[in-house]
Amino acid sequence: MQLSDIEHNIRVIRERIEQACKRSGRNPEEVKLMLVTKTVPVERIQMALDAGENLIGENKVQEGLQKREPLTSANPSLDFHFIGHLQTNKVKDVLKFATCIQSVDRMKLATALHERLQKEGRTMDVLIQVNTSYEESKFGAAPEDALALIQEVAKLDTLRIKGLMTIGLFTDDQEKVRKCFKLLQNIRREAQELALPNVNMEVMSMGMSGDFETAIEEGSTLVRVGSAIFGKRIYPDSHYWNESVKSE
């Protein structure tokens, strides 16, 4: 795929974001576009960055480590999020490249991050991942447990909770997907009402290539788009999201 193709795809996605915002009476500047770069070579990611993008998300720790040096050296202000399932034994490595971890879904992981960050004397932005589709194949805190998790994570002063993340139901029925996004918004409102220290519900990371317009209509502030920009991948999403790995 040549530079012109990637630039064209980004323009198309940004136009669709603008139209979705217009339909829902929102300012397009309220919605960030994240490039999901799983399996995408550094050279092609750099083409997108050259086109003006600055926010990427990786699903695999090893890929993030491999891409860190070439990408951050060429783009010092790159915002590099980790969006995949994170095992506790990968905490040290993920902190070598991530500027935000969007997939905090259990207290054991939050505690492992906190302890490592304490050793390094720094803090980290995180999102709480919620399994709004109630699918056993997906990670994320159960919606009914999300508030309790937020309250516990908020006690860890190295972790700055910036909002919530979810992966909508994998279906072509947008109304079923919409229910997932509405549920996440309800959790956000409940969390805001608690007015917890160390918690800022400004980020709603929801919506991917197949459903980001619906997500925007339901209040998403960050959409995660990969295949619609870089092209289809040879493996299914399940290969990259690593949903079959048990959390330790």
Side-chain angles (χ1 to χ4, degrees):
M1 183 176 287
Q2 299 301 310
L3 173 60
S4 59
D5 296 320
I6 291 177
E7 281 186 323
H8 169 75
N9 291 343
I10 289 172
R11 285 198 298 270
V12 169
I13 294 298
R14 287 207 167 276
E15 175 62 25
R16 289 171 62 186
I17 289 173
E18 189 170 336
Q19 291 302 315
C21 287
K22 186 175 181 180
R23 287 194 300 271
S24 49
R26 299 184 61 197
N27 183 343
E29 293 182 5
E30 296 175 1
V31 182
K32 290 185 177 181
L33 171 60
M34 166 178 281
L35 309 181
V36 177
T37 53
K38 54 192 178 189
T39 77
V40 180
V42 167
E43 295 75 18
R44 292 175 63 207
I45 299 171
Q46 188 59 53
M47 290 178 180
L49 300 179
D50 289 341
E53 301 304 316
N54 193 54
L55 175 60
I56 66 173
E58 272 294 339
N59 293 71
K60 299 280 192 177
V61 173
Q62 194 59 38
E63 268 198 79
L65 287 171
Q66 292 168 352
K67 294 172 182 176
R68 173 191 61 168
E69 179 57 33
L71 287 175
T72 57
S73 61
N75 310 272
S77 63
L78 181 64
D79 205 359
F80 203 150
H81 290 206
F82 184 75
I83 58 177
H85 177 63
L86 181 58
Q87 295 175 285
T88 54
N89 63 354
K90 299 289 187 181
V91 160
K92 182 178 178 181
D93 287 336
V94 80
L95 294 179
K96 292 177 181 177
F97 67 88
T99 55
C100 174
I101 297 170
Q102 293 201 12
S103 49
V104 174
D105 61 354
R106 59 201 188 281
M107 201 58 206
K108 185 172 183 179
L109 172 59
T111 300
L113 285 166
H114 172 66
E115 291 174 351
R116 186 67 205 179
L117 287 163
Q118 278 187 318
K119 289 181 181 178
E120 298 183 8
R122 62 192 184 107
T123 61
M124 172 65 67
D125 289 347
V126 299
L127 304 184
I128 301 299
Q129 181 178 358
V130 184
N131 182 0
T132 55
S133 63
Y134 287 96
E135 292 173 280
E136 289 186 8
S137 61
K138 288 206 180 89
F139 291 109
E144 58 270 22
D145 298 332
L147 276 182
L149 178 60
I150 292 168
Q151 287 175 292
E152 288 303 304
V153 176
K155 297 174 183 177
L156 307 178
D157 60 7
T158 62
L159 301 180
R160 301 189 300 262
I161 301 176
K162 295 295 185 179
L164 306 172
M165 185 269 265
T166 198
I167 302 169
L169 188 69
F170 288 142
T171 175
D172 291 331
D173 188 336
Q174 290 300 302
E175 292 313 302
K176 289 182 178 179
V177 180
R178 191 181 301 276
K179 290 180 181 178
C180 297
F181 301 148
K182 285 183 178 293
L183 177 55
L184 197 70
Q185 283 288 14
N186 289 337
I187 295 169
R188 177 195 197 184
R189 283 190 286 270
E190 291 174 353
Q192 286 174 322
E193 289 172 4
L194 294 175
L196 296 168
N198 210 30
V199 176
N200 182 334
M201 286 284 128
E202 64 186 19
V203 180
M204 293 292 282
S205 176
M206 56 188 197
M208 301 194 295
S209 289
D211 57 20
F212 71 85
E213 287 150 312
T214 301
I216 289 171
E217 292 168 3
E218 295 303 327
S220 174
T221 67
L222 189 158
V223 295
R224 310 181 302 272
V225 181
S227 59
I229 290 174
F230 296 109
K232 297 292 184 183
R233 302 177 181 87
I234 61 173
Y235 298 114
D237 267 352
S238 58
H239 176 81
Y240 308 106
W241 287 100
N242 201 23
E243 300 293 16
S244 63
V245 175
K246 293 182 69 175
S247 303
E248 71 294 72

